[in-house]
Amino acid sequence: TIAGCYSSMGQSAEAFAYLYQALRESSPARGHGFDVALYTNLAHELFQLGDYAEALKYIEEGIERCARLNNPYMLSVLLINRVICLTDLGRPHDAMADVRRLQGLPATSSGRGSENAAFETMAIAALRAGETDLGEQLIEHATVSLGKEATPDEQAELIVATAELLV
């Protein structure tokens, strides 16, 4: 929580200090997934700094540790983060396995997959990987599932995906 506060204030050094301290004190045996959440948060902080290569390392560790949990929500967060990293690193083809895995997660009442389907983000990856039909399909899903409740980030992602489809 303290790390999140520092992160929201743009004080990454302090956020990292608290995240690393919590990670040192957590363990897979007694943490019940807390360590996985910490890896996710570390990766997110690195996103904020634009260090996608380093974020990818923490995401990989989080996915590995998430395998012992039955938590589709956490898995979907990690997979979407890996799609973002791989796409931003110019490797959208590598992200396609995660896009398909995300599509296979059970849908929640919101219809957005495990609440983190991020169809607009997956659409960008698909389009940049040259999978135009899939990209178009994901844009349609995003448009329907987001409706009028889209956050500014989701709206921007959808606009980018739509523009890339039109190109």
Side-chain angles (χ1 to χ4, degrees):
T1 302
I2 294 170
C5 291
Y6 278 116
S7 177
S8 68
M9 293 186 304
Q11 298 177 8
S12 292
E14 291 83 358
F16 279 122
Y18 279 98
L19 287 168
Y20 285 123
Q21 179 66 30
L23 192 58
R24 274 194 302 277
E25 294 176 7
S26 72
S27 72
R30 66 182 180 141
H32 306 291
F34 182 63
D35 59 324
V36 177
L38 288 170
Y39 283 112
T40 304
N41 290 335
L42 282 164
H44 180 74
E45 192 64 27
L46 288 162
F47 281 172
Q48 303 293 23
L49 298 173
D51 192 345
Y52 294 100
E54 190 65 23
L56 189 57
K57 295 175 188 176
Y58 286 104
I59 291 166
E60 298 290 346
E61 184 67 30
I63 289 171
E64 183 179 310
R65 291 179 184 230
C66 193
R68 65 181 157 69
L69 305 173
N70 182 19
N71 190 331
Y73 176 82
M74 185 63 73
L75 178 61
S76 66
V77 170
L78 288 161
L79 292 174
I80 277 295
N81 285 345
R82 188 161 62 182
V83 168
I84 293 167
C85 280
L86 291 170
T87 302
D88 286 349
L89 288 169
R91 299 170 44 197
H93 291 89
D94 294 338
M96 296 316 298
D98 289 336
V99 168
R100 287 182 175 75
R101 191 169 175 193
L102 282 159
Q103 287 181 297
L105 289 175
T108 62
S109 59
S110 70
R112 285 190 53 86
S114 199
E115 291 187 32
N116 290 305
F119 295 118
E120 60 285 351
T121 301
M122 292 189 298
I124 292 171
L127 291 166
R128 291 183 183 171
E131 298 195 26
T132 309
D133 291 340
L134 177 59
E136 186 172 12
Q137 178 187 30
L138 290 165
I139 289 171
E140 290 174 17
H141 286 308
T143 303
V144 170
S145 69
L146 289 174
K148 295 179 182 178
E149 298 178 18
T151 67
D153 287 344
E154 290 167 335
Q155 291 173 0
E157 291 272 314
L158 186 54
I159 290 168
V160 168
T162 303
E164 289 195 21
L165 177 64
L166 293 173
V167 171

